[in-house]
Amino acid sequence: MSDRTGRREKDRPAGAPTIAGDLAPAGAPAGAPAGAPAGAPAGAPAFAGDFAGDLAADAGLLARHAADTERMLALLAPRPDRTDAEAERAERLHEGCRASRHAFLARHAEAVYDVLTAGRTRRPRLTDLAAGAAVRFPGLVPDAAQLAEERGRLQAHKEGREIDQGIFFGALLRSPAAGTHLIESMLRPAPGSAARLAEFRRADRLELPAVLLERRGEAAHVTFRNGHCLNAEDNRLIADLETAVDVALLDDRVRVGVLRGGPVTHPRHAGKRIFSAGINLKELRSGAISFVEFLLGRELGYVNKMARGLLRDDPAAGGTATAGKPWVGVVDSFAIGGGMQLLLVMDRVIAEEGAFLSLPAADEGIVPGLGNLRLTRLTGARTARQIILSGRRIHTGDPAAALLVDEVLPAAALDGAAERAVRDLAGPAVAANRHMLTLAEEPIDLLRTYLAEFAVVQARRIHSPDVLAKTERHWARSERVPS
């Protein structure tokens, strides 16, 4: 077997790490969450404990273990060129190191978070938090070079570094102290949003690459403009949506937000308005869907801001204040996947006659965001399982549609219905009451606990063989048949 420079195993210098026999079966480390992988390598770190003084020593053990793992991985061919035996060895190496990360974070998650946030006096966003962890705790999460290398690869050709990010964020969110602080940090306006607010105030219009924001009276209209892909979500749309939602929430002239899909250029539906086709599977297949910025960032970012509002410093209130506003969703044609997930945080949903809603999690193979958390309380357990586990579509003519949609109207009547909804929801008591509804329906600890598990499960799902195969088949069909 050759390494990346073409040398054979027998030509390795004396003392170089070997691959065969590096791993020995073992149980999952003590303290690892349920479902943490077994198979830790022989000689895996024996972490000292959970006392503050143990953090530096245990971090050093993890760093050395991760470095040893990387040296052994470097002896293998790149992932697409590996033999079956090499692929199995690589998987065992990764899983052994991931088991050690689980064990380290089970002991030190809060201490790590306190180091990265200066005792919770700073509020880094997800990307900055992960970047800081890579520098301060080598081997805990992928570093900048590893991420850059992964970024240029197809999803099926990646090493799966984002799984390590999922382990990291899952552990932080599992901690009541660190997790709550992180959720609150992500409810702050994103960098740059305040500057865009000034632009919006001048023109009552903000044009972003994938989103249009317009003010009409007391309403801020947020329109998806990702028309080439049926308003599917990708990294660009997620970033633009967070900016638009921030600006709508920051502008005190706005009382209600309206979310709608714009006309698409996709050949099959050219000129039609479509709400959203969910995650862009072509982008997922190409490796362009980010776990941190997209899959985790959307849930902690703009979606949670629509549900809960912004947190802003308010000295008069003795701390922070929530600036939440009601939202209206207007569904043209269909709301699939992430599009349907957005409707679960809307205060009023208006849909076109003949439209449908779906969460095709079983088909795509990934977890539909917070759909599993939020759908059941709207539809009940049986219907939620039919939608998520069996791919049932809810058409506007179905009796079950009344559980998810407030009004079903001809396309020509949607604009008028949206205006009426804005008037209904613009009252001064609406924001306070929706805030109390959210506290009752989705307490912050419930959200945090769900997200802790979601981070780990979703990171693994996007690298699982069934998802990779499905995205490849989807791409192949789209290349053969005109869209």
Side-chain angles (χ1 to χ4, degrees):
M1 180 179 61
S2 302
D3 65 15
R4 293 185 185 183
T5 64
R7 294 177 298 174
R8 305 293 296 178
E9 278 193 51
K10 64 183 179 63
D11 299 321
R12 276 200 308 272
T18 61
I19 298 172
D22 286 325
L23 304 180
F47 296 122
D50 57 1
F51 297 104
D54 298 325
L55 176 60
D58 284 355
L61 290 174
L62 177 64
R64 288 191 290 275
H65 182 55
D68 288 343
T69 299
E70 292 301 323
R71 281 193 288 272
M72 290 184 277
L73 285 168
L75 297 172
L76 301 171
R79 181 169 177 178
D81 301 325
R82 287 172 188 161
T83 65
D84 289 345
E86 289 178 310
E88 182 180 351
R89 286 171 178 166
E91 184 67 10
R92 294 177 69 200
L93 285 166
H94 279 304
E95 290 303 323
C97 203
R98 286 167 188 156
S100 295
R101 293 183 181 105
H102 273 294
F104 174 81
L105 286 165
R107 293 162 171 80
H108 300 299
E110 283 191 14
V112 166
Y113 189 77
D114 282 347
V115 168
L116 298 175
T117 61
R120 288 172 244 161
T121 61
R122 296 176 52 251
R123 292 191 176 274
R125 288 172 60 84
L126 297 177
T127 304
D128 294 333
L129 198 58
V135 173
R136 298 294 297 271
F137 299 95
L140 182 57
V141 293
D143 61 27
Q146 290 170 329
L147 291 175
E149 185 178 21
E150 292 273 86
R151 202 172 292 122
R153 296 177 175 179
L154 296 177
Q155 191 74 4
H157 294 174
K158 294 183 178 184
E159 288 288 346
R161 306 285 184 186
E162 290 169 319
I163 295 173
D164 304 322
Q165 293 177 321
I167 292 169
F168 172 66
F169 285 112
L172 298 186
L173 289 161
R174 202 168 287 114
S175 158
T180 301
H181 189 271
L182 175 55
I183 291 170
E184 291 177 349
S185 297
M186 289 298 292
L187 286 174
R188 302 300 177 104
S193 292
R196 304 315 292 263
L197 172 63
E199 181 182 343
F200 182 62
R201 283 182 173 277
R202 287 193 300 270
D204 286 336
R205 183 181 177 91
L206 181 62
E207 293 201 42
L208 302 168
V211 172
L212 173 64
L213 177 64
E214 301 171 288
R215 187 176 76 89
R216 303 175 201 162
E218 294 182 297
H221 289 256
V222 179
T223 305
F224 304 154
R225 298 198 302 179
N226 232 12
H228 69 286
C229 59
L230 302 178
N231 289 324
E233 291 181 309
D234 52 28
N235 282 9
R236 177 73 267 170
L237 181 60
I238 295 303
D240 287 351
L241 279 170
E242 182 155 22
T243 300
V245 169
D246 279 353
V247 171
L249 292 171
L250 287 167
D251 192 334
D252 55 14
R253 302 172 303 168
V254 171
R255 303 293 290 273
V256 181
V258 179
L259 196 65
R260 192 173 186 181
V264 302
T265 58
H266 194 283
R268 188 178 295 170
H269 304 277
K272 288 187 62 178
R273 275 186 180 270
I274 286 175
F275 190 74
S276 176
I279 191 171
N280 188 323
L281 293 176
K282 283 188 178 180
E283 293 282 281
L284 180 58
R285 181 256 179 192
S286 71
I289 295 295
S290 163
F291 170 73
V292 171
E293 288 89 348
F294 183 141
L295 293 169
L296 189 57
R298 92 184 273 277
E299 307 305 336
L300 283 163
Y302 86 93
V303 180
N304 203 31
K305 288 174 178 178
M306 286 193 295
R308 284 180 157 74
L310 293 176
L311 281 180
R312 293 188 283 179
D313 291 323
D314 184 2
T320 58
T322 302
K325 296 175 183 179
W327 287 87
V328 178
V330 182
V331 180
D332 300 89
S333 303
F334 52 75
I336 298 174
M340 182 177 174
Q341 293 166 34
L342 294 176
L343 303 180
L344 305 182
V345 299
M346 298 288 107
D347 301 283
R348 184 76 58 84
V349 177
I350 303 160
E352 176 187 12
E353 288 179 345
F356 71 86
L357 318 177
S358 72
L359 288 176
D363 181 56
E364 293 173 351
I366 59 177
V367 178
L370 270 72
N372 305 62
L373 175 65
R374 293 171 173 152
L375 185 62
T376 299
R377 64 173 175 255
L378 294 177
T379 66
R382 288 296 101 209
T383 302
R385 279 167 168 74
Q386 291 164 14
I387 293 169
I388 293 173
L389 304 182
S390 301
R392 176 184 172 185
R393 289 182 174 185
I394 303 297
H395 294 266
T396 52
D398 296 344
L403 302 171
L404 296 162
V405 177
D406 296 284
E407 293 183 81
V408 177
L409 299 164
L414 294 180
D415 287 338
E419 291 177 7
R420 289 194 301 274
V422 168
R423 289 195 296 270
D424 289 346
L425 295 172
V430 170
N433 278 291
R434 76 182 298 273
H435 171 67
M436 299 307 293
L437 284 168
T438 301
L439 285 179
E441 294 171 348
E442 191 177 288
I444 199 79
D445 275 347
L446 174 62
L447 174 70
R448 178 184 58 75
T449 303
Y450 179 92
L451 285 170
E453 189 70 12
F454 170 80
V456 178
V457 172
Q458 188 76 306
R460 286 191 174 276
R461 281 277 82 212
I462 61 172
H463 291 283
S464 62
D466 62 301
V467 170
L468 299 177
K470 287 170 182 176
T471 57
E472 196 65 30
R473 288 196 297 270
H474 174 84
W475 176 82
R477 285 196 303 269
S478 68
E479 292 296 299
R480 288 195 307 267
V481 181
S483 298

